[in-house]
Amino acid sequence: MLVAFPQMGDFNIPLESLFNNFEIDTLSSPPLTKKTLDLGVQYAPESSCLPFKLVLGSFIESLEEGAEALIIAGGNGPCRFGHFGELAKEVLESLGYEFEFYILEPPVSSIIETITELSSDFSWFKALPALWLAWKKLIIIEELKKYRLKAGIGLNRERSHKLDNKYLQLVSKAETSRELTRIKEKFQLELDKLVSVQDSAGVKIGLVGDIYTILEPFANLDIERRLNHLGAVVNRGVFLSDWIKENIIYSGLGLSKNHNVAEAAKDYLKVKVGGLGFETVGKTVLYGRQGYDGIIQLSPFGCMPEIVAKSALDEVEQDLELPVLNLVVDEHSSATGVQTRLEAFVDLLQRKKG
């Protein structure tokens, strides 16, 4: 059975590593394009958010390329992400597609149950090393990204894409933790040779908001690379490994490790509001205390958790004198418009800093 996942950043690399180690055939979903978006817009309910439209379009393209089973993560709470799976399944079935559908829900045992059902070669002897390698690949991918966001100042988008793609392919093929560590070291050395401190704008920006919109460059119009090219150092408040640890591993044990974020948010938001709205507020406060020059809140149009978070961020912005740019994206957003707003924001931060 040929399995596919919706395109979301580089998450397909660890997932394909995990499933392929159990002899489960996987289909790499096509990169997101305007065609993907058009398909999602055409068939998704009109009020759907941009992430759902892209997930639906990605599923349709995968089914057209021969996928027989689709897998997506689920979740709890008022964020619509938790309902993506059921809604996508309903829409795809109404379009006449035939497929198996799996939703990975907390706890982590649901992942094992899905693999057990799909694999004819499952064993616990293979499970632990396969899970560990997939996890290490996710961590290394995120460490490469963190390093580029911090050190890739002035790097233009084309060179940045080329560098990332080169090392992501190496990560995809790696079979040991030692090999992954060497890849990380080589990436850092090559990136250091490409950048110059003279291109620095001298500002640090924290990026917070909706998880899908932040993780997927097509959804956010490649905002991270645009900021790097403008000379800004960027720190992203959202990484998939953090979400997995908090929502799949710790929540299954009735635990939470987000104490510092909760402590930082408590004066502005008393309860969790779904999605990453609570984390958006807490991490903005933490960035402010750490001396960041500005914050960008990134969210899809109509994202209720981020709308609630924005009302709290207005107060944070005043209390900490920390400029916050709210960027809302949908299928009508233009790269030119986003680029203009980013240039103006970086210029504002530079002038404020003096």
Side-chain angles (χ1 to χ4, degrees):
M1 184 175 289
L2 193 57
V3 174
F5 323 95
Q7 184 69 35
M8 185 172 78
D10 306 307
F11 190 38
N12 62 305
I13 292 174
L15 277 178
E16 288 171 11
S17 170
L18 177 64
F19 281 74
N20 291 338
N21 270 319
F22 292 105
E23 309 298 332
I24 301 171
D25 294 329
T26 56
L27 172 73
S28 294
S29 301
L32 299 183
T33 62
K34 186 175 184 303
K35 177 188 173 185
T36 318
L37 178 59
D38 288 345
L39 285 169
V41 170
Q42 182 176 357
Y43 295 114
E46 187 176 353
S47 59
S48 301
C49 61
L50 179 65
F52 178 76
K53 291 169 182 171
L54 290 172
V55 166
L56 182 63
S58 180
F59 274 153
I60 292 173
E61 290 187 311
S62 295
L63 289 168
E64 291 291 337
E65 291 201 0
E68 300 166 289
L70 303 175
I71 296 179
I72 188 172
N76 301 314
C79 175
R80 285 182 282 189
F81 178 80
H83 308 292
F84 277 15
E86 292 297 341
L87 182 57
K89 181 173 182 285
E90 187 178 324
V91 173
L92 294 170
E93 287 177 341
S94 73
L95 294 174
Y97 290 108
E98 295 182 357
F99 55 92
E100 298 293 327
F101 200 76
Y102 300 90
I103 300 176
L104 304 181
E105 299 273 8
V108 71
S109 57
S110 75
I111 300 174
I112 299 299
E113 289 171 5
T114 301
I115 292 173
T116 305
E117 186 173 337
L118 289 169
S119 174
S120 58
D121 192 36
F122 178 84
S123 73
W124 282 105
F125 180 75
K126 295 177 64 174
L128 291 179
L131 281 166
W132 179 245
L133 181 62
W135 179 253
K136 287 293 292 183
K137 287 191 177 186
L138 175 61
I139 297 299
I140 288 294
I141 288 170
E142 292 184 346
E143 288 183 355
L144 299 186
K145 192 170 291 291
K146 287 176 185 175
Y147 192 78
R148 178 173 56 73
L149 290 172
K150 178 183 175 184
I153 47 175
L155 191 64
N156 70 45
R157 291 173 57 214
E158 183 180 351
R159 297 184 82 174
S160 179
H161 273 293
K162 189 175 179 181
L163 182 69
D164 282 0
N165 290 338
K166 172 183 174 182
Y167 282 91
L168 287 173
Q169 286 180 18
L170 294 175
V171 171
S172 179
K173 294 175 183 174
E175 296 180 351
T176 66
S177 295
R178 182 175 296 179
E179 197 175 345
L180 289 168
T181 300
R182 286 200 294 267
I183 290 169
K184 175 185 168 185
E185 292 169 352
K186 288 181 179 177
F187 175 86
Q188 293 177 346
L189 286 172
E190 186 165 345
L191 177 60
D192 288 345
K193 292 178 183 175
L194 293 175
V195 298
S196 167
V197 293
Q198 294 178 344
D199 295 324
S200 173
V203 297
K204 291 195 300 183
I205 296 174
L207 189 60
V208 297
D210 168 68
I211 186 169
Y212 184 94
T213 313
I214 287 183
L215 293 183
E216 176 49 56
F218 183 84
N220 63 43
L221 299 164
D222 216 6
I223 183 175
E224 293 175 347
R225 289 191 176 87
R226 291 179 189 278
L227 286 170
N228 268 169
H229 192 200
L230 290 172
V233 171
V234 183
N235 192 340
R236 203 167 82 181
V238 180
F239 282 95
L240 193 56
S241 62
D242 295 333
W243 186 91
I244 291 173
K245 282 188 282 188
E246 187 67 20
N247 293 277
I248 294 183
I249 299 175
Y250 297 142
S251 72
L253 301 172
L255 302 173
S256 173
K257 296 294 184 183
N258 263 348
H259 302 304
N260 62 335
V261 173
E263 179 67 22
K266 69 178 184 181
D267 291 336
Y268 301 95
L269 204 58
K270 302 300 180 187
V271 295
K272 292 197 172 185
V273 294
L276 293 183
F278 193 71
E279 288 79 359
T280 290
V281 176
K283 289 184 177 178
T284 296
V285 174
L286 292 175
Y287 283 138
R289 292 174 181 170
Q290 293 165 10
Y292 275 70
D293 301 297
I295 300 296
I296 295 178
Q297 182 199 17
L298 190 57
S299 62
F301 179 75
C303 178
M304 191 54 66
E306 294 302 324
I307 290 173
V308 176
K310 183 183 181 307
S311 64
L313 290 187
D314 291 342
E315 193 176 348
V316 176
E317 185 173 12
Q318 290 186 9
D319 288 352
L320 302 184
E321 297 183 349
L322 179 66
V324 177
L325 173 65
N326 175 250
L327 273 180
V328 178
V329 293
D330 65 9
E331 59 267 34
H332 305 296
S333 298
S334 76
T336 303
V338 167
Q339 180 70 25
T340 301
R341 294 191 68 187
L342 294 180
E343 289 175 2
F345 189 61
V346 171
D347 185 55
L348 167 74
L349 299 183
Q350 285 179 304
R351 284 189 282 111
K352 180 174 180 288
K353 198 169 183 178

